[in-house]
Amino acid sequence: MKNSLLKIGEMAELNHVSTQTLRLYAKNKLLEPEYLDPETGYRYYTLEQCAKLDLIRALKSCRLSLEQIQEIFSLSSKERLLQALEEQTGVLTDEIYHLSVSRNNLSRVQKNLQILNTLPPFGQVFFEYVPERKIDVQKTEFDFFALGQEGYEKMLRHMQNYLYENQLPPSYFINVGTLMEKEYFMRGTYSSHSAFIFVDDLYPEKDSVRTLPQNTYLSIASDKIALEAAYAKQLYEEMERNGMMPCGDYLCEVLTQFPVHQAKQLIYKIQVPVQRIHGGEQ
């Protein structure tokens, strides 16, 4: 009989698993040895048991726990088995969604870090073409220009709470900013009560989501929050010198705010979509 059986080491090698894994499956009564030699204590498996081992490994690769697999094996109802598999499909679908969102947002951060190497000197106005983007804008009771750094942090907490309350992936919070409506920018009475996050095609449909069309932007980058109002004025003056007007709202996009030397290094870019003034009319 022993000639037709596989020792635990042979079973492990044949199926590219460890002997520890086989012992764990036996302990959890998922795949017990077909024969235990009472004299030597050796465990023996049959070649036919490889099919069940294949199934265990396939289910494990689908992120089911050993307890869930054991439950599936013990189910006597096809309907209950189908329900268990459907539940796991839902779990995997949710995980794939969150992982995809995280990947997209990490790619955005990587792109921002690459942009840092190509930015003109801080405080220098420059033109740039920006492809279409989507943002989720949330109004807050705080005014960045009135409260400065404190206002900015409070606006961020508001946005963070919004994500939490709506059960949205926190990785969207990686790339945030503030928005000032075009009218305030044009009048020079700077006021910003809105925070925004960049979103992707995986983001749920919401009334607060806006599409920013592709456009040429007039921009300035800086690492000094206290200088934003002065830079906004500089941006406006440069826009007038070039015979242009804004065709959208003013954005302050935070490119990075990673801690450096135990302090937060915040680098932002203020930007306004612009167009030429035709016939001297705005």
Side-chain angles (χ1 to χ4, degrees):
M1 177 180 178
K2 290 183 182 180
N3 291 333
S4 63
L5 298 176
L6 298 167
K7 294 180 180 179
I8 186 171
E10 294 171 330
M11 182 70 167
E13 183 178 0
L14 182 63
N15 290 279
H16 307 287
V17 299
S18 66
T19 55
Q20 290 88 342
T21 295
L22 291 178
R23 289 191 177 94
L24 177 63
Y25 292 169
K27 180 180 178 182
N28 285 272
K29 300 187 182 306
L30 289 172
L31 185 67
E32 297 181 272
E34 184 73 18
Y35 174 71
L36 181 64
D37 191 316
E39 297 180 3
T40 64
Y42 287 168
R43 301 162 180 258
Y44 291 93
Y45 294 83
T46 65
L47 195 60
E48 289 74 15
Q49 285 183 291
C50 290
K52 189 172 185 180
L53 178 57
D54 291 341
L55 180 57
I56 294 171
R57 296 177 68 193
L59 292 174
K60 254 189 118 278
S61 71
C62 292
R63 308 289 290 277
L64 276 82
S65 67
L66 295 184
E67 290 77 13
Q68 289 173 305
I69 297 173
Q70 186 181 46
E71 180 187 4
I72 287 174
F73 285 173
S74 65
L75 294 174
S76 57
S77 165
K78 289 184 179 179
E79 289 75 17
R80 180 66 188 92
L81 174 58
L82 179 61
Q83 180 185 353
L85 295 177
E86 287 177 344
E87 288 173 356
Q88 185 62 15
T89 299
V91 170
L92 289 179
T93 300
D94 189 58
E95 286 186 10
I96 290 170
Y97 165 70
H98 281 82
L99 288 172
S100 298
V101 169
S102 297
R103 180 194 59 199
N104 290 348
N105 287 319
L106 285 176
S107 295
R108 184 183 297 278
V109 172
Q110 291 172 355
K111 182 178 178 181
N112 283 349
L113 291 174
Q114 292 167 350
I115 288 174
L116 294 181
N117 297 325
T118 63
L119 285 175
F122 291 158
Q124 178 178 313
V125 179
F126 62 96
F127 286 96
E128 62 175 339
Y129 167 79
V130 182
E132 180 181 282
R133 299 172 292 176
K134 290 198 299 184
I135 57 175
D136 189 344
V137 182
Q138 295 299 313
K139 287 275 191 180
T140 76
E141 62 182 298
F142 312 107
D143 182 359
F144 165 74
F145 286 98
L147 299 173
Q149 178 74 42
E150 178 185 354
Y152 173 69
E153 291 296 341
K154 288 182 176 180
M155 293 170 83
L156 293 190
R157 293 319 109 203
H158 178 95
M159 179 59 76
Q160 193 175 58
N161 289 339
Y162 167 75
L163 291 174
Y164 176 79
E165 290 170 0
N166 286 272
Q167 298 182 326
L168 295 167
S171 63
Y172 281 116
F173 194 65
I174 285 176
N175 199 194
V176 298
T178 58
L179 178 148
M180 174 167 55
E181 295 175 5
K182 179 175 65 175
E183 290 73 18
Y184 289 107
F185 174 67
M186 291 291 290
R187 292 200 302 261
T189 55
Y190 302 143
S191 178
S192 174
H193 290 269
S194 298
F196 71 85
I197 54 173
F198 287 100
V199 301
D200 53 21
D201 292 337
L202 298 173
Y203 199 77
E205 292 186 8
K206 290 183 173 293
D207 293 337
S208 54
V209 172
R210 305 183 192 179
T211 297
L212 305 176
Q214 59 179 353
N215 206 83
T216 296
Y217 282 73
L218 202 56
S219 306
I220 299 179
S222 178
D223 61 350
K224 301 289 191 300
I225 288 182
L227 293 177
E228 183 175 340
Y231 284 150
K233 182 180 179 181
Q234 183 179 339
L235 205 63
Y236 179 82
E237 292 171 347
E238 185 68 23
M239 181 186 66
E240 284 199 319
R241 276 194 293 272
N242 284 273
M244 310 185 91
M245 64 177 292
C247 55
D249 293 326
Y250 164 112
L251 303 175
C252 177
E253 174 187 357
V254 176
L255 296 175
T256 180
Q257 51 182 341
F258 290 120
V260 177
H261 302 305
Q262 298 183 342
K264 180 191 291 185
Q265 182 188 33
L266 187 149
I267 298 176
Y268 65 90
K269 181 177 65 174
I270 58 176
Q271 53 201 278
V272 178
V274 292
Q275 62 185 12
R276 293 286 180 185
I277 299 174
H278 299 290
E281 296 183 0
Q282 297 187 11

